Amino acid sequence: MQTACQAVQHQKGRRQYNKLRNLLKDPRHDCTVFANEFHQHCYLPREKGESMEKWQTRNIYSAAAWYYNHCLGQMPVVMVTEDEDAIRQYGNETEGVFVISFKNYLDNFWPDLKAAHELFDSIAQARRERESESQENHGKEYPEHLPVEILESGIKSGRYLQGTLNVNKHRAQLEAFVRLQGFGSKDTELQSDILIYGAKARNRAIHGDVVVVELLPVHEWKGRTVALCENETEDKAPADTTGDPMPTGKVVGIIQKNWRDYVVTFPSKEESQSQGRNAQKVLVTPWDYRIPKIRISTQQAEALQEYRVVVRIDSWESTSLYPNGHFVRVLGRIGDLEGEIAAILVENSISAAPFSEIQMSEMPVSSPKNPWKVSPEEEKKRLDLRDTHLIFSIDPKGCEDVDDALSVRTLPNGNLELGVHIADVTHFVAANSYTDVEARARATTYYLADRRYDMLPSVLSADVCSLLSGVDRYAVSVLWELEKESYETLRVQYTKTLIRSAYKLEYETAQGLLDGDTSVVGDILELKSLDEGMRQKKLAELVWAISKLTDIARHIRAKRDRCGALELEGIEIRVQLDDRRNIHDLIPKQPLEVHETVAECMILANHWVAKRISEDFPHQALLRQHPPPRQEFFTELRECASAKGFSIDTRSNKALAESLDRANDPSDPIVNKLLRSMATHAMSNALYFSTGSCPEEQFHHYGLALEKYTHFTSPIRRYADIVVHRLLIAATLKGTTGDVKDNIISNKYLEELSRHINNRNRAAQRAQKQSTELFQCMYFRDRSAESDERCVADGVVYSIRTNGVLVFVPRYGIKGAAYMKNKEGLVISCQGAGNCQWKPGSLHRSQHKITSTTTTGDSVTLSLFDHITVRILVQTSRCHADTIKLEIIRNAPHHTADTEAAQKSFHVVKSDLVKEVSQSAEETQRAQERARVEVMDEESQEFCQTKGPSLYQLLEEIRELALLDVTEDITM
């Protein structure tokens, strides 16, 4: 009811009102808002002296009574309120209109909903506790937040600054940082985040809140912690462990509370006894270190001690040390795999509910006995490529959701035609259908280490829309005509097609064919039923196509190299499970050239589609931008490179690419990999945006050095691609036939949708990373660290801290801290190649190395990029996720066959053939540039500059191929 919605806005604020409106607009909830204030029989004018609350209650009751009579009394109408006066006044006024409290509503209408009753009791108890506490406590634990008007005027004047609070999970009690959002005064040219030091300065703000901060005087500024630290609860940091002072401030107000569901653990029996007299009030510890303890009221504390539980925060008064909340539901036992996975999903606000019946009713019918077939009507509307094109897909082993396929052929005029064919998901998912609304809410498929949660029902993702071999499928294709030798684009066509993929290849098989390895032919199922002659003919056609695709990709890549393409590194680990789904091994991904071939074709398609939709819809197209990184984020990269004598130029992506190419240690390829990984972490995140929300000069994608870029190639698992497909189809039909209005979204709505998709993408990356870490811990937890040789590995030092080093373990793709000084103050001592021991002594840190000296004079020095032997341990936690811990056992490399194989696999992926193509093209370009320079006038020579260099590689491949690298969004 309209008045009820307005009452929420009046009493609870705009944010709660917007949440309610979004719930009502969601078709999955099947709700309708009755605009009662615009109905002559329902609206009642406000009487003189009548409070807003009383007037709204009177209007709601009047509308409820009218609606009951309008329905001829055929169904009761329930008005739920906590206003006891309203219940007494209206409760018995109209038969069939029930005016009751929410508790009575549950008791009388839903007596069997146990979970709802428990949740209501928890909320009611929390409210009673909060009311009694506010009456008892008059002392202030925190200063009051400033009124909104003062905050807004302070932001405009530059006195206050606005940003998002990010708590340091390793120093959650001490350190938080506010990243500015650009609303402050132009005079405030801060080049770094603002440090919020201590819980008092944080003033009840919680990680993720949008806050307003006031800078402290310069003499009160502090430095961030530079020592290794575990997730401890200390409220002090040793003075010698902080860096240079940085802008420091305090929170004076909160613009937006981003509270969510939190996974918590109840205190153990011993901890419960130490918490005090009131057994109903319990301090629970959140799974996320960055969230403070939450006080809840419950009678079930003892029964829930061994479980992960979900709670919500209700309030945080200035008189309370901790926020108050209420119990929501139980997830599972601590340490149980399903319980820990459920915790990861809740922490990232991921819904994994099965698709509903009404959503499934919209799906096409397909089964092994009755497979889906092409419609004759639709067949006439599409370009039929089934008999004219050799189309095939290349995917990871076991891939079911095949949303892209490739083709290449020679045209009658001698030129080549390159084709990228993408599953036509939008044919089956109509705009604003129930399935579309659900896909929009999920925004992406969530890939965890051992499972995935699909964005679309499996009948689409793994069957009807999956471009499997030997079956007819609808596709949206981009076809380029390329010059036969230079591969320059002569013409491009976007069209709906009907295709039949000939082969579903795995990456390893395609690479084998490319390398001339005939042993992989047996892995191609589609060739097994053919006689030898036909098999050889088909095989020759396939090998030619893969080789030609790779050659085209090399030339496209060479162009990008000339502009400064940067290969970025991400760590991808595949969890190998046995038949009983126990962890058998952790395997780093092996890079192959065919990965680059597929990725380059996908980038090409995304770029050309971005150009087309932004031309046709300049103010409402969904593109993807990548802002340039902040230069201060490259500091660690430059310092680490200088340890090996390399100089990294970060002024442009071309300069950065060339610097990284030169920063290569022939004796240790992992050095270059680590430097590229550091460059990756320095990058900004790529984001979706609406073209109507920012000027065209901001469309640029820094990472790929493309003026326009979008995502088109994965509509099965990304909602952004579905939006882009609709825009492309509308663009190609525009002005000819068909109604395209349903495919066009307003700029305002597209902005909101972009923010939602960006948020869900970040959640998907976090969940992916956390699930991989969970399985890494489970793998090593089940092994004896002292006796199992798999727990000992080679590690590479990549960062120096005041009390230890950060180490990368190539064999398992693990990065972790290794302490050189323990909690007892002892330092590490290594005698030759023997095992290390803890002895009294001191540490001395310099820029590129750290030295441990014992009281007896023995010393050990670790420098950047040194190889050491580490033992991998698991640090268990009852309240939080387990973590990997590294222990130095020898100041010498650990040599095994696995180590050598891992090192070989980390060589730069770019092949010698690509380098040759690049060098040849560069020589041609240099000759052309020399010719141009001769005719340029002095003014042009003085002011000309290089146009948009390009930066890319491995992360996009990882996203396209296996979606296991949590850093995917950095550059794509």
Side-chain angles (χ1 to χ4, degrees), residues 222-269:
K222 298 180 181 294
R224 68 172 73 216
T225 303
V226 293
L228 297 175
C229 48
E230 297 175 4
N231 298 294
E232 303 288 354
T233 57
E234 310 104 0
D235 54 6
K236 288 184 180 179
D240 61 347
T241 64
T242 57
D244 296 332
M246 64 182 294
T248 306
K250 62 180 180 181
V251 174
V252 295
I254 301 176
I255 297 291
Q256 180 177 322
K257 294 184 176 79
N258 284 322
W259 296 350
R260 54 175 175 81
D261 286 1
Y262 299 104
V263 178
V264 302
T265 305
F266 279 77
S268 63
K269 194 171 184 179

Side-chain angles (χ1 to χ4, degrees), residues 147-277:
V148 175
E149 314 84 64
I150 296 178
L151 296 176
E152 290 177 347
S153 62
I155 293 169
K156 288 178 181 177
S157 68
R159 178 180 179 181
Y160 302 138
L161 300 163
Q162 178 178 329
T164 302
L165 186 79
N166 290 285
V167 177
N168 178 0
K169 69 177 181 179
H170 301 294
R171 286 285 186 191
Q173 302 300 314
L174 280 179
E175 286 186 354
F177 301 91
V178 173
R179 179 152 298 174
L180 303 183
Q181 296 181 338
F183 297 109
S185 165
K186 292 180 181 178
D187 298 330
T188 309
E189 296 293 341
L190 288 177
Q191 297 298 314
S192 70
D193 298 338
I194 298 172
L195 170 64
I196 308 296
Y197 190 84
K200 294 291 184 185
R202 211 176 297 172
N203 196 5
R204 295 170 287 149
I206 291 175
H207 175 77
D209 286 354
V210 178
V211 299
V212 178
V213 298
E214 181 179 20
L215 283 177
L216 298 176
V218 175
H219 69 270
E220 295 184 33
W221 288 8
K222 298 180 181 294
R224 68 172 73 216
T225 303
V226 293
L228 297 175
C229 48
E230 297 175 4
N231 298 294
E232 303 288 354
T233 57
E234 310 104 0
D235 54 6
K236 288 184 180 179
D240 61 347
T241 64
T242 57
D244 296 332
M246 64 182 294
T248 306
K250 62 180 180 181
V251 174
V252 295
I254 301 176
I255 297 291
Q256 180 177 322
K257 294 184 176 79
N258 284 322
W259 296 350
R260 54 175 175 81
D261 286 1
Y262 299 104
V263 178
V264 302
T265 305
F266 279 77
S268 63
K269 194 171 184 179
E270 298 76 20
E271 292 170 326
S272 298
Q273 292 171 352
S274 66
Q275 280 200 8
R277 51 185 173 78

Side-chain angles (χ1 to χ4, degrees), residues 87-360:
I87 293 173
R88 283 193 296 270
Q89 182 178 354
Y90 303 118
N92 299 313
E93 190 167 308
T94 304
E95 184 180 358
V97 179
F98 296 86
V99 183
I100 57 178
S101 68
F102 193 78
K103 177 164 179 50
N104 285 337
Y105 172 68
L106 284 177
D107 290 342
N108 292 312
F109 287 87
W110 304 99
D112 299 326
L113 283 183
K114 184 181 176 184
H117 284 268
E118 289 177 351
L119 179 57
F120 175 79
D121 292 341
S122 176
I123 295 172
Q125 180 66 20
R127 289 182 63 181
R128 288 193 294 270
E129 295 284 357
R130 189 164 68 249
E131 289 167 2
S132 64
E133 185 179 275
S134 63
Q135 293 171 3
E136 294 172 6
N137 296 345
H138 301 292
K140 299 284 187 184
E141 297 290 349
Y142 299 96
E144 294 288 349
H145 293 146
L146 297 178
V148 175
E149 314 84 64
I150 296 178
L151 296 176
E152 290 177 347
S153 62
I155 293 169
K156 288 178 181 177
S157 68
R159 178 180 179 181
Y160 302 138
L161 300 163
Q162 178 178 329
T164 302
L165 186 79
N166 290 285
V167 177
N168 178 0
K169 69 177 181 179
H170 301 294
R171 286 285 186 191
Q173 302 300 314
L174 280 179
E175 286 186 354
F177 301 91
V178 173
R179 179 152 298 174
L180 303 183
Q181 296 181 338
F183 297 109
S185 165
K186 292 180 181 178
D187 298 330
T188 309
E189 296 293 341
L190 288 177
Q191 297 298 314
S192 70
D193 298 338
I194 298 172
L195 170 64
I196 308 296
Y197 190 84
K200 294 291 184 185
R202 211 176 297 172
N203 196 5
R204 295 170 287 149
I206 291 175
H207 175 77
D209 286 354
V210 178
V211 299
V212 178
V213 298
E214 181 179 20
L215 283 177
L216 298 176
V218 175
H219 69 270
E220 295 184 33
W221 288 8
K222 298 180 181 294
R224 68 172 73 216
T225 303
V226 293
L228 297 175
C229 48
E230 297 175 4
N231 298 294
E232 303 288 354
T233 57
E234 310 104 0
D235 54 6
K236 288 184 180 179
D240 61 347
T241 64
T242 57
D244 296 332
M246 64 182 294
T248 306
K250 62 180 180 181
V251 174
V252 295
I254 301 176
I255 297 291
Q256 180 177 322
K257 294 184 176 79
N258 284 322
W259 296 350
R260 54 175 175 81
D261 286 1
Y262 299 104
V263 178
V264 302
T265 305
F266 279 77
S268 63
K269 194 171 184 179
E270 298 76 20
E271 292 170 326
S272 298
Q273 292 171 352
S274 66
Q275 280 200 8
R277 51 185 173 78
N278 195 336
Q280 287 189 349
K281 289 184 179 180
V282 183
L283 275 177
V284 294
T285 303
W287 187 85
D288 187 341
Y289 283 100
R290 299 168 298 186
I291 308 302
K293 289 184 178 180
I294 302 168
R295 183 190 288 111
I296 69 168
S297 299
T298 180
Q299 304 278 1
Q300 306 178 65
E302 190 172 341
L304 295 174
Q305 285 176 355
E306 300 304 318
Y307 291 86
R308 299 277 188 227
V309 174
V310 179
V311 303
R312 289 183 188 140
I313 294 177
D314 299 317
S315 66
W316 195 349
E317 308 299 334
S318 61
T319 55
S320 174
L321 272 174
Y322 301 101
N324 294 298
H326 65 271
F327 166 88
V328 177
R329 69 182 188 276
V330 176
L331 289 180
R333 283 190 173 275
I334 297 171
D336 176 70
L337 175 61
E338 294 305 316
E340 297 300 323
I341 291 290
I344 289 172
L345 296 179
V346 170
E347 280 294 312
N348 292 287
S349 303
I350 294 172
S351 171
F355 291 96
S356 67
E357 287 186 20
I358 195 166
Q359 289 157 5
M360 296 306 296

Side-chain angles (χ1 to χ4, degrees), residues 444-456:
T444 182
T445 291
Y446 298 95
Y447 289 85
L448 274 58
D450 68 328
R451 66 193 75 188
R452 73 170 190 261
Y453 296 99
D454 290 325
M455 182 183 78
L456 294 170

Side-chain angles (χ1 to χ4, degrees), residues 587-600:
I587 304 172
K589 179 186 167 184
Q590 302 299 314
L592 303 171
E593 187 184 7
V594 75
H595 290 159
E596 292 185 5
T597 299
V598 176
E600 208 63 55

Side-chain angles (χ1 to χ4, degrees), residues 170-171 226-232 234 801-807 816-824 826-830 836-838 843 850 852 860 862 868 870-871 873 875 883-889:
H170 301 294
R171 286 285 186 191
V226 293
L228 297 175
C229 48
E230 297 175 4
N231 298 294
E232 303 288 354
E234 310 104 0
R801 300 299 170 90
T802 57
N803 59 341
V805 293
L806 293 177
V807 178
Y819 289 84
M820 296 181 69
K821 188 174 188 177
N822 64 18
K823 291 182 179 180
E824 289 72 40
L826 303 178
V827 299
I828 202 162
S829 172
C830 299
C836 296
Q837 299 175 331
W838 295 106
L843 294 179
I850 183 171
S852 168
V860 57
L862 296 184
I868 58 176
V870 295
R871 178 177 288 118
L873 308 167
Q875 184 166 317
T883 54
I884 293 291
K885 184 178 178 182
L886 302 179
E887 184 181 279
I888 301 171
I889 57 175

